Amino acid sequence: MTGSDVTREGVRGARPGRDAPTGKHGRRRRGRGERSMVPDAEFSSYYGKPVLNKPTWKPLDIAGYLYLGGLAGGSSLLAAGAQLTGRPALARVAKLGAAGAISLSLAALVHDLGRPSRFLNMLRVLKPTSPMSVGSWLLAGYAPLTMAAAATDVAGRHRLVGSAATVSAAVLGPAVATYTAVLLSDTAVPAWHAGYRELPFVFAGSGATAAAGLALLAVEPGQTGPARRLAALGTAAELGGFQLMKHRMGGLLSEPYEQGRAHTLLRTAEVLTAGGAALAALGDRGPRRVLAALAGAALLTGSAALRFGVFRAGVASAEDPKYTVVPQRERANAAAAADGPPAVP
């Protein structure tokens, strides 16, 4: 038998993909009697190097951008509620807070981008499937509304324009407070992507507590009833949503939130937010001004600690390859198990 005969015989006889029992386990695939030609994959990274490039965002710029956006969105909602219920002092502080926070948020974003033209370039096209594109247009529409609402309130003129701007900003406020969570979840960073369901609710609660904290810190207690109620609702959404997120993510992917600097920040956020909400609930008792100021400072600081903690946890999960590799292996094993037992030839 010649070499060519051997080759043809090998091709005709072995029929790779149907009969050849190659591979580590030679598994048959359901319904076709086929066996795997490829050994089970061994997932690892190159010399333990990260599988993903870690986010290159500057922590102070981007974590601050996340925090200030939440403060602005929550303040716009509070401003509209205060205006509708006849609380002018609360409305003014909330309007000024929204305008100031979104201005600083945009400044932090532009500083991270390097130059303002890069932000303007993101407005050249609206891409509905891109959270960054949608968020850029959202900020471009929301920021002028907050400026108009604050300016007309301070000037005491054009009240109709100011009222329309206040209500419009309140409509966009929830999206401003939460779109950054969608932006983070849309990345491949494991600790962010795995929390895509709950993270927007966590950020919504965090924005609410920050807005309530600013109001409690700067407004006389007699007008802070809506802020105290917002603090209670925001605390429940923030802390409850965060615990639910970690539970659904499982032990491995929740590890970055429970280790290192991220854990310290997030634990601080829990204590300050819960304590601030409790003090806010006592705002009508005893030395009301002191309690309200302490509650406001705690809520503002707790909200900031949460955003910085989430940011650091995401960076840590991108740096360690196991948070990318192990979940992939588990999904592959689950898919293989779903194929069922070997088919009978």
Side-chain angles (χ1 to χ4, degrees):
M1 184 179 292
T2 66
S4 60
D5 294 332
V6 172
T7 302
R8 282 194 296 272
E9 184 64 26
V11 171
R12 292 173 182 171
R15 302 182 68 191
R18 291 186 177 273
D19 304 314
T22 57
K24 188 174 181 179
H25 299 295
R27 296 191 306 270
R28 289 185 181 273
R29 295 184 181 177
R30 180 175 59 185
R32 297 179 58 188
E34 297 181 2
R35 296 192 182 194
S36 173
M37 296 295 296
V38 181
D40 288 345
E42 294 293 335
F43 292 87
S44 61
S45 66
Y46 188 71
Y47 289 110
K49 299 287 185 182
V51 176
L52 303 174
N53 291 325
K54 73 174 184 178
T56 57
W57 298 328
K58 302 178 185 70
L60 184 59
D61 284 342
I62 297 305
Y65 161 68
L66 301 177
Y67 166 63
L68 291 167
L71 172 58
S75 293
S76 288
L77 277 176
L78 190 59
Q83 181 171 289
L84 292 173
T85 56
R87 293 177 170 88
L90 177 59
R92 175 169 292 186
V93 166
K95 290 175 187 179
L96 291 172
I102 201 62
S103 298
L104 292 173
S105 179
L106 285 170
L109 177 60
V110 170
H111 185 263
D112 184 78
L113 292 173
R115 55 179 183 268
S117 61
R118 290 180 175 173
F119 176 78
L120 296 177
N121 285 338
M122 292 190 290
L123 301 177
R124 295 173 63 185
V125 177
L126 173 59
K127 188 177 181 182
T129 57
S130 168
M132 178 62 77
S133 177
V134 173
S136 299
W137 278 95
L138 178 64
L139 292 177
Y142 171 78
L145 292 173
T146 63
M147 304 294 181
T152 54
D153 189 278
V154 172
R157 302 176 62 185
H158 308 293
R159 295 188 181 277
L160 185 60
V161 173
S163 296
T166 300
V167 173
S168 299
V171 171
L172 297 179
V176 172
T178 58
Y179 97 90
T180 49
V182 179
L183 178 64
L184 295 182
S185 301
D186 195 50
T187 67
V189 175
W192 294 341
H193 183 72
Y196 71 95
R197 292 179 183 173
E198 296 85 8
L199 197 57
F201 295 98
V202 175
F203 274 27
S206 175
T209 57
L214 177 63
L216 290 168
L217 191 61
V219 181
E220 289 297 324
Q223 292 195 21
T224 56
R228 287 186 278 109
R229 289 186 285 273
L230 185 63
L233 290 173
T235 299
E238 177 184 336
L239 301 185
F242 190 71
Q243 294 302 320
L244 180 61
M245 183 182 78
K246 291 197 300 180
H247 176 74
R248 191 184 62 80
M249 289 169 66
L252 178 66
L253 287 176
S254 65
E255 278 184 5
Y257 293 103
E258 299 172 348
Q259 296 177 349
R261 183 69 180 277
H263 174 70
T264 302
L265 286 166
L266 293 168
R267 183 58 182 160
T268 300
E270 290 179 358
V271 172
L272 289 175
T273 301
L279 287 174
L282 299 174
D284 285 332
R285 303 178 186 179
R288 297 190 301 169
R289 192 71 191 92
V290 174
L291 288 177
L294 289 174
L299 290 170
L300 277 169
T301 309
S303 179
L306 177 97
R307 306 291 178 124
F308 278 79
V310 168
F311 181 84
R312 287 189 174 273
V315 173
S317 72
E319 290 177 332
D320 193 331
K322 75 177 180 180
Y323 297 119
T324 302
V325 171
V326 174
Q328 288 180 343
R329 179 168 53 194
E330 291 175 347
R331 289 193 294 269
N333 291 338
D339 283 344
V344 178

